[in-house]
Structures are given as structure tokens and as C-alpha cells.
Amino acid sequence: MNKTITIDGKIVPFTDGQTIMDAALGAQVYIPHLCHNPEFKPHGSCKLCVVSVNGRNMTSCTMPAAEDMVVANNTPELNDDRKVLVQMLFVEGNHICPACEASGNCQLQAAAYYLNMLSPHFTHFYPPREVDASHPDVFLDLNRCILCELCVRASREVDGKNVFGISGRGIHAHLVVNAASGRLGDTNLVVTDRAAHVCPTGAILIKRQGYRIPIGQRTFDRKKISEVQMESTEEGKPDHE
Amino acid sequence: MNEKRKIRVATCSLAGCFGCHMSLLDIDEKLFDLLEMIEFDRTPFTDIKHCGACDIGIVEGGVSNAENAHVLKEFRDNCKILVAIGACAINGNVPALRNNIDLWDCFQEVYLYEGGLEGNQIPNDPELPLPFDKVYPVYEVVKVDYFLPGCPPSADTIWKFLTDLIEGREPKLSYEMLRYD
């Protein structure tokens, strides 16, 4: 355990097989991310965790750490790129935060706050996907889905159910429900499944739970996403195998 | 005689709810301080009908009909700095939830099918501005210089933003002041 990389000048130890993200999380160094969750295999879709490794940009969640890598992470240039990525996610969906139950607990919103996003900048798509409220306890608003596939991974790997998938190409890619009818109510998903709780945005919500937490006490009201995600790493000590 | 020329400010509400204006009024007694520094041109607070030459124009609400677009263009033409304030001006917000419903269906639902209406007809007087197919953020219609997010932005946020702007500083919001909800 004496191999190290440096991230923004800080010496960070790693073990063979760990990614740059694994090493960073272990050393309490925050690299912005949305689709990465240490409980699951890396995905590499959100691109927020791109860092500069020896001068080349790479996704830290998929790039294995190697001895003597020099990583730049918290730089104005990389954070500006990350802000543009978040702006792209905002205009691709209908992120009407004032009317969303996830507001204050949403990682997409919190990442946008962290990156000081003042406007979505680009032309809005206003996608027309329908809400699926067929399940008794869980509902889907696919206009808020950022295609991180955490629900897909959680359902397959933890719940052993394979309830969700991604279908379609390009801008038409969207979350689908693996039932003949395509309706969530016709799957064996139950409200206690990991997949029902892993969504970083307001795309998968539990019914009759909205607006229970007073404003001021929600996850990201007082703490930045950087602080919250570092705390959860420290407590949970997720395995990085 | 040497009194400094006051900063001239215009405000308007397009497809807004006037909540951003109410939040501006929420600076309470600081309104007296504000009026030491600025004077209002066209705004819902004055009786001025058209926007004249201004230093700062503040626009609340998205663009949902032809009159909104005319007012917005007048603000852009006359204001050195144009500010989009609130979620509606920035992304269309809740009014933009109509963007996925056919406009004609909306009109029929409200003016023809709704119960209790007599002599049902869809309003067609030329006095009335025609609605657009969609609700647009203001920056998709004209160039916007600054964005002040929130639904609405808090009074403290508005105060910080306005005093920065009036005193010639680049507006800067702390983490606590940046909210979309």
C-alpha cells in the first residue's frame, strides 16, 4: 500500500485495481460525479468526474490509478467543463425544481449549485415523456432521468430483478421498464428495493413521501454535495473491489 | 447640484406570477436605501407605460405570448444591462409544463369543456395577445446579461445582487444564496 498518485498536489495512496475515483474517495478528495456510486460498478456516462491525468482528460471513475499519475481535478477549466455538462443535462430534461419533490435532495441540482450554474444556457428540449404512476408505491417521471443507470444496476445487481433498462439511440435514449406492458406496476419492484431509492434526481420517487422535509433541513440545504458525498464515503466504507 | 445621477431601473413581469417582485419588496426597509441609489422607470410599481433609457432592466417570467415578446424586446432595446430574475425567466419553470400539451387542447379544455361556462367560446378579440406554442426562457428570445435564479430568489439574494450591480461590482452569490426552488 505504498503506491501513490497526486491529485491537485495532494499525495493519495491506492491499491492495484483501484480507479482514480476509488483512490480519491478513500482519501476524502471530492471529484464531482453523478453516475458513480461506490456501491456499483463504474458507468462513465455523466462525464462530470473527468480529470486531467498527466495532461490528458479522462473519466476518473473508469481510469485505473497507476503509480506516479499527476491528476488535476479542482481547476477552473475542469469545473467550467463540468458546468457545461450539467447545463446540457438540465436542458435535455424538464428540470422544474420548484415543482419537484426531489428539490433539495437532488444530486443533479446540488452539483449545479456546487458548480455555480446560474442558467441552463442552452436551448431547452422540453421532452414529452409521460409519467408512469401505475405502481402503487413508486412513480417515474422520465423527463427528469439523466440516464445514469444506477436504478438499472441496483435492480440487477442488488435486487436481482432486472426491472429497468435503457432503450433507444442518441437523444431518444430513455429509461424503460422491463414488463410486457412497459408499466412499472406490472413488474415485481417493491418499495423497499434498492432500485427505488438510488436515483440521484427526481426521476424515481416514492409516492406519498413528497415535501415531508422542511426547507432548510433537506440534504443539500446546508451542506454542499462535496461535503455530503465525502461524509457518506467515510461512514459507509464501501468496498472498492 | 453635484448629486450623483441615480441608476435607472425598469422591471416587468412577463409569464410570471409577480412573486419575484414580491420578493424584491421583501427587502423591507432597505427599499428606502434602494431608492436613494436608484429611480424606477417602467415597472409595476410606477405608472410609466413604456420602458425608456435605463441602466438595468429586470425581467420576471418566461415568454408565453406576443405581448411578452414585445415588452421583452423593448426592455432589451432600452436597458444597458438586462437581468433574468427567477426560474420562469431562466427555464420557463412551471408555466413551461404546458409545453408538452397542444395549445389548442389547452384552450378547448379551459374555454369550451370546463363546466359552468355559458356561451362558451375561445376569446378571439384582437386586443388579446396571441399565445405562443411554447413558453420560452427569456434568453432564448433576447440576449441576457445576468441570471438570478430562485423561485423566487430570496430578498437577501436580490439585495446582494442589486447592490453589487449598482455599485459596479460583478454580482456574486454565496452558496446559500444560489437556489433554483
Side-chain angles (χ1 to χ4, degrees), chain A residues 103 117 122 124 127 218 221, chain B residues 91 100 139-140 179-181:
Chain A
S103 192
M117 186 189 95
F122 300 106
H124 285 73
R218 302 169 304 181
D221 280 341
Chain B
N91 69 6
N100 290 317
Y139 72 80
E140 291 186 24
R179 288 290 176 268
Y180 306 147
D181 62 355

Side-chain angles (χ1 to χ4, degrees), chain B residues 90-103:
Chain B
I90 290 172
N91 69 6
N93 199 18
V94 173
L97 290 173
R98 82 154 160 91
N99 287 3
N100 290 317
I101 305 170
D102 182 78
L103 189 59

Side-chain angles (χ1 to χ4, degrees), chain A residues 3-234:
Chain A
K3 291 184 178 176
T4 61
I5 57 175
T6 66
I7 304 180
D8 292 336
K10 181 178 175 174
I11 294 172
V12 171
F14 72 93
T15 50
D16 283 332
Q18 280 195 315
T19 61
I20 296 171
M21 176 68 82
D22 293 332
L25 287 171
Q28 293 286 296
V29 172
Y30 175 66
I31 301 176
H33 57 274
L34 289 171
C35 70
H36 185 68
N37 180 327
E39 288 175 56
F40 303 100
K41 281 189 193 125
H43 191 241
S45 65
C46 78
K47 298 287 175 237
L48 253 62
C49 74
V50 165
V51 292
S52 170
V53 182
N54 298 339
R56 286 184 65 185
N57 283 2
M58 299 175 181
T59 40
S60 56
C61 70
T62 54
M63 186 68 196
E67 185 102 71
D68 299 328
M69 274 182 169
V70 178
V71 178
N73 165 43
N74 191 14
T75 70
E77 293 77 15
L78 286 166
N79 284 332
D80 277 351
D81 287 348
R82 289 165 180 153
K83 181 160 77 178
V84 170
L85 290 166
V86 171
Q87 287 172 321
M88 289 162 74
L89 289 173
F90 266 80
V91 299
E92 274 178 26
N94 295 335
H95 296 285
I96 312 292
C97 301
C100 179
E101 292 176 20
S103 192
N105 300 314
C106 168
Q107 292 177 33
L108 176 66
Q109 185 191 55
Y113 291 158
Y114 176 84
L115 297 164
N116 196 39
M117 186 189 95
L118 296 175
S119 87
H121 182 82
F122 300 106
T123 302
H124 285 73
F125 284 70
Y126 296 122
R129 299 179 200 116
E130 283 183 11
V131 167
D132 180 347
S134 59
H135 192 280
D137 300 313
V138 181
F139 76 92
L140 302 178
D141 185 341
L142 299 185
N143 295 317
R144 299 170 180 159
C145 174
I146 59 170
L147 304 177
C148 68
E149 291 199 27
L150 277 168
C151 58
V152 178
R153 289 178 272 167
S155 188
R156 265 183 214 151
E157 296 166 24
V158 180
D159 307 328
K161 288 186 178 175
N162 197 22
V163 167
F164 296 105
I166 303 286
S167 182
R169 289 178 187 275
I171 192 61
H172 304 295
H174 62 287
L175 190 72
V176 291
V177 172
N178 293 324
S181 63
R183 309 289 280 173
L184 193 60
D186 296 327
T187 67
N188 57 351
L189 179 95
V190 293
V191 69
T192 49
D193 284 353
R194 188 76 184 100
H197 299 272
V198 78
C199 180
T201 73
I204 303 178
L205 289 169
I206 310 302
K207 289 185 177 177
R208 300 174 295 277
Q209 297 292 317
Y211 309 116
R212 288 221 171 149
I213 308 172
I215 288 171
Q217 295 174 26
R218 302 169 304 181
T219 310
F220 300 112
D221 280 341
R222 271 179 272 171
K223 285 182 183 164
K224 294 184 181 183
I225 190 170
S226 49
E227 298 162 308
V228 171
Q229 290 190 332
M230 289 304 98
E231 281 170 13
S232 63
T233 316
E234 207 165 41

